[in-house]
Structure formats: structure tokens, C-alpha cells
Amino acid sequence: MKFAWPPIVPRWALAAFVLVVAALAVAPAALDLSIYSKNLVTLAFLMISGALAWNWMGGFVGQVSFGHAALFGVGGFVAARLMIMEPPAPAPLAWLVGGIAAGIFSLGAHPMLRLRGPYFSIATIGVGEAARLLFTYWEDFTGGSSGLSLPIDVEMKDRLYFWGLGLAALVVAASFLIRRSTLGLQLLAIKADVDAAADVGVNATFYQDLVFALSAVVVGITGGLYAAYFSFIEPGDMFGFDRSIAFVLMSVIGGVGTVLGPVLGAIVFVLLRQFLLASYPQLYLGLYGLLLIFIILFEPLGLTGLALRLARAVRRRARREPRESLA
Amino acid sequence: MDRFVDLAVSAVLLAGLYATMAYGLGLIYGVLRVVNLAHGGVIMAGAYLGWILHGWLGLDPYLAIPLVVGVTFLLGVLTYRVLVRHLPRGAAGGPASLLLLFGVWLVLRNAAYLLFSGNDQTIRTAYSTRAIPLLGSYVSVNRLAVLAIAVVTPAALQLLLKRTYLGRAIRAVAQNADSCTLVGIDVERIYTITFGLGTALAGLAGLLSATIFSFNPGFGSGELLKSFVVVVLGGLGSVFGTGIAALVLAVVEVFAILVLPSYLTAAVGFVMLVLVLVFRPGGLFGQRVLG
């Protein structure tokens, strides 16, 4: 039997993807990156994974969650607990279990998924804030407001770059596949009109549960890696409202509902945050606010929309120029 | 038994504040179908306005009401004219308007940090700690005044909506904006005024909260969620429903102290919000808020 190339992935996209991942894999050794920049890139990998996973729900299904910090926190604390118990669990296993725990946690949100639009968003704020208070109160598990410290392992930081890269690459590939597959079309139908989608035979309830659980697993795993990255976590940060907002912001900056958008958004977010916290910590919140306002008013697709607009302008100019030379 | 009466009295007093917070959110949603996420930010702004007027000019917070209401009304008008007007309305504008108004909230919060730092502030007046005996327990004069204003405000709002031309126009626009254009109602103007009114009510609620609680630039997020519980629970368009819903929330919150550690009582409102949205999306009195 001849192998048929799956039509949903263009060859050029696959080639570009492999090239970028390979370049990033050899970058630390080839470019002799400093520890600082290597850590920053690792953080970007984690945020890319989180932003894309949020986007599965917020962009593909159209259910904007303001409570993903709860999933991030559950994954992070379960993984951290497993890594500091005696004898410690191997880190990758701990991350995976953390992700699965977050996935199970997300199934509790099942009744909320029939809420649409703003109601879903507001309900997720409620769940997120309730989770923050409960987990801060549950000191035996999370260490309360003093948090948990993980054993500092220098080699771990080194390896985390590659774990992060692997996770981000997997999530990018998965996003692309979801977008281009039948599943992606069904999600698009749910986003456009959930009732009409159900009428033509899309099992809206099942797919929303599935995508939310997948999103939760990935965000949970990200939380576990994040815990290992910082070696110290506390519920106020992991479950905080600002954390939930970060997931939203990254996707909105880059372009909600696209695949490359959240990737770009996460990179911009990490760099901007690093720069702002270092130079203008007092303007940090407001600048994000202004950014949100400008993007929503002028370019709802964020950086991706800007890039598309630029591409169109260039193409138009290219088409016009020969005619002008004739005249 | 004494403790029971104490708790019941404080629940009633708290309910007045919750109802005041919720009117603005409900009004804007009812007419524009926009969830005003900046609501919490305006509550915070109202609190700081009262604090400035009291601290710098020595103005009593209750005498500052017209000023605060006026300034936050203008803030609402500005927000609508400059920002919200350009959004698609209804279901399509849902996530966009949420994110936009969330941006406004972040800007307001940041402005407050820059101007007043992150420290907790309070408005202390000569009568802040005075209390009078009522039903066998002592009740703070301040909280009674807040309750009185919380009763007068909806009555005034109801009069405005039912008896004036403007109020009739607002209700007509809430029912069907397209038909309003046909009969010569300036829909954009009504939207502007409604957004201003809703924002002014949030400012008033903020000022009233500031006479009771301490506040900082992060103040308002819990208040926003509580307002949302009240609006969803009470159903739209019913001032009476809003009052009852506020009472339900306040009673549940206050009596939770008996069974829950005090740290967790704040979570009660959030849990209630989710339960109400999931199980009673039509509100307690059957008027549908959704759909």
C-alpha cells in the first residue's frame, strides 16, 4: 500500500516546524547562550504551551476562560508534592500526574460548559477565585501562603530547556492538527453557533468536555514544569487572577483562534514582562490594559491580524507596480 | 439567640450595599447587553474619589455623593463614547467587550497605584465608630445611613425609569433598539446616558463601601463578582428582585461564619455565583437574564 501524505499538513509547514525545533534544540550549545537568556527562552516555551492550550478553549471553541490559573495551580502543586516526597518521584512522571490531576479537576467544570459567552467567562472567574482561596487555606497540601520549596537541582534547570522545547513543540503540532482536522471544523461550528452545530450532528457537549480536559492537562503539565523551573511556588501566585489573565493576554496579543498567534503572543508577553518588571514595574498592569484596549478596538486578531494586513498590502503593491511602470 | 439577631441585622445592612453595587451592572447589561467588567474599577474609583474629597477638602462622604456620582457619570459617558461604542453588540461582541472593559479596569487600577500607592486607605469621620441600640444589638450609624441610601437609590431609579420620558426611552431601547430608531429615539444617546448612569451607580456604591471598609487599588474585584451574583440571582428589570437577591447573598455570606473558617467565607460568594449560573440561570423570579 502506498503511503498517502495526510492532506491536512502541508509539507512546507512540516519542514519549517522541524527546522525551527532543530535550530532551537542546538541553539544553547551552538550560540553559547548565557544562563539568563536560556532561562528566559525556557520560560517562553512554558508560556507558549500554556497560551496554546488556553487557545484551544478560548480560540477554537470560543469559550473565554478567566480561570485557567486553577488548572495551572492544581498541576503545579500535585507535581511539586510528588517531587518533594520521600523518595521523590521522577520529575517527568510528576509533571504527567500533575497534568492528569488538572484534567480530572477540569471535568468538574462540566455543568459550566453549557453557559455561553460572558456567562462562561464570569463563572470561570468565580471558580478561579474560589480555587485560590481554598488551596491557600489547604496548608497541608500547598503550604498555605508560605508556599512550597523544591530541592534546587542545577542540572534540572539545564534539562528543563529541552523538556520545555519538547512540550512546546508537541503542543504546537497538536494545535496545528486540531485546527486542520475534522475536529477543528466541528469546534469552529460550535464556536459559531452551538445550537446549529448540534443540529447538524456535532456532539457539542462531548467535544467541549474533551477540549477543556485536554487544555487542562497541558496547562497542568505546564504548571508542573513551572514549579520545577522556579523551585518555589505559592498558591497566591499559581492560582492568582493575574495568572489567569496572562493566559488570556498572550492569546489576545498574538491573535485568538490562530495557531501562530498565541506563540507570538507568549514570546512578546515574556519579553515585555521581563522588560517592564525590570524598568517600569509601576506601569506593568496599565500597559497591558492599554494593549488590550488597542488590540480589541483596532486589530481583533492581534499580531497575526497585523501580519496578515501587512501581507495583503505588500501583495497589492506588488500587483499594482507593473501597471504603473506601463503608464 | 443574641448572636443570631446580631448576624441577621448585619446581613440586612450588608444587603443594602450589595444591592447598590448590583443596580449599575444590571442596568448596563439590561439595556446594552454588555457585561461591564470595568464595574469593579469604578467602584474602586468611587472609593478613592470620596477619600480625596474627605482628606483634601474635608468634605463629609455623604455630602460628597453628588460630586462622586457626577464625576463617575462623566467617566461612564467617556468610556462609552470613546471605547464601547465601537464594539459589535450582543452575542458577537461578548468576548470582545469583556476584554476591552477588562483593559479599562487594568488601566484604572494602575492609575490608582500610581496616584495613591498600594496602601490600604480608610475614610474616618467623627461618627465612624458611633453606634445606636436597635433590636437589642448595637448598630453602626454609618451602616444604617448606607442602608437608607440603598433603599432610596432604587426608588429614585424606579421613578426615573417609569415616570420620565428618558426612563421610558431607556426601557424601550432595552426591549428593541431597532424599533426605537423608527419612532425617533436617539438610541446612541440613550446608550450613552445608560452607560453613564450604570457607572455612576458603581461610583456611588464605591463611595458607600469606602465609609465602611478599607480599600486599595485592587478593591472591587470581589465586589464585581458579588454584583454579578445579585444580578443573575435577582433577574433583570426587577428592582425588587435585586433587593431580595442582595439579601439572599448577604444572609448566606454572614451566616457562613457559623460553619466555615473566616478565611473561607469570601469563597462563599464565588461558589454561589457558579451554582446560580449553572442551576438558576433565569434568576430566582423566573425573568431570564440569559439568552
Side-chain angles (χ1 to χ4, degrees), chain A:
Chain A
M1 202 175 101
K2 229 177 90 185
F3 176 73
W5 184 253
I8 56 172
V9 182
R11 275 161 221 256
W12 63 265
L14 187 72
F17 176 71
V18 170
L19 217 66
V20 170
V21 172
L24 282 169
V26 296
L31 299 177
D32 196 19
L33 288 181
S34 67
I35 295 179
Y36 173 80
S37 32
K38 207 174 147 189
N39 281 345
L40 204 59
V41 178
T42 310
L43 188 62
F45 288 149
L46 298 185
M47 291 301 120
I48 287 171
S49 315
L52 277 170
W54 181 91
N55 188 51
W56 292 349
M57 205 56 200
F60 292 177
V61 182
Q63 293 278 50
V64 173
S65 158
F66 281 109
H68 259 50
L71 307 166
F72 189 78
V74 168
F77 275 100
V78 168
R81 270 290 164 200
L82 289 173
M83 284 189 279
I84 57 177
M85 71 181 185
E86 234 9 275
L93 183 70
W95 299 330
L96 196 64
V97 174
I100 292 170
I104 294 171
F105 184 85
S106 78
L107 290 181
H110 170 78
M112 278 164 52
L113 288 170
R114 70 190 170 111
L115 300 169
R116 301 298 306 171
Y119 306 100
F120 177 79
S121 305
I122 301 277
T124 55
I125 300 181
V127 171
E129 288 295 278
R132 178 177 63 82
L133 289 168
L134 285 170
F135 280 96
T136 312
Y137 182 74
W138 191 7
E139 288 187 8
D140 292 338
F141 180 60
T142 62
S145 28
S146 44
L148 289 182
S149 292
L150 282 79
I152 293 176
D153 178 351
V154 182
E155 274 183 36
M156 171 56 98
K157 267 253 159 108
D158 212 42
R159 272 175 300 165
L160 257 179
Y161 178 90
F162 298 99
W163 281 108
L165 174 62
L167 179 67
L170 257 176
V171 178
V172 169
S175 307
F176 207 85
L177 287 177
I178 293 178
R179 192 67 180 147
R180 292 299 197 97
S181 64
T182 329
L183 172 64
L185 281 178
Q186 287 175 317
L187 298 184
L188 214 58
I190 295 173
K191 180 182 182 178
D193 187 332
V194 69
D195 297 322
D199 285 345
V200 295
V202 176
N203 190 343
T205 320
F206 171 73
Y207 283 128
Q208 289 195 64
D209 273 328
L210 178 74
V211 173
F212 197 32
L214 284 177
S215 170
V217 169
V218 173
V219 171
I221 293 176
T222 312
L225 281 149
Y226 185 86
Y229 176 84
F230 270 107
S231 308
F232 167 75
I233 51 174
E234 52 118 3
D237 171 48
M238 296 293 279
F239 286 94
F241 192 48
D242 288 353
R243 168 95 30 216
S244 289
I245 290 317
F247 289 119
V248 183
L249 271 171
M250 289 185 284
S251 296
V252 172
I253 292 174
V256 181
T258 61
V259 175
L260 282 184
V263 176
L264 284 177
I267 295 170
V268 170
F269 182 85
V270 167
L271 292 178
L272 203 64
R273 195 186 136 89
Q274 202 69 15
F275 168 72
L276 285 178
L277 280 184
S279 320
Y280 305 99
Q282 70 277 30
L283 293 179
Y284 162 65
L285 274 181
L287 273 178
Y288 279 132
L290 285 179
L291 209 58
L292 257 182
I293 294 173
F294 277 108
I295 290 173
I296 297 293
L297 281 185
F298 299 112
E299 190 50 76
L301 265 187
L303 291 174
T304 312
L306 216 61
L308 286 176
R309 199 179 283 196
L310 247 146
R312 266 202 304 275
V314 168
R315 222 175 300 146
R316 213 175 305 134
R317 171 161 289 188
R319 239 180 299 147
R320 203 171 300 153
E321 237 145 16
R323 221 182 303 150
E324 279 166 354
S325 60
L326 277 178

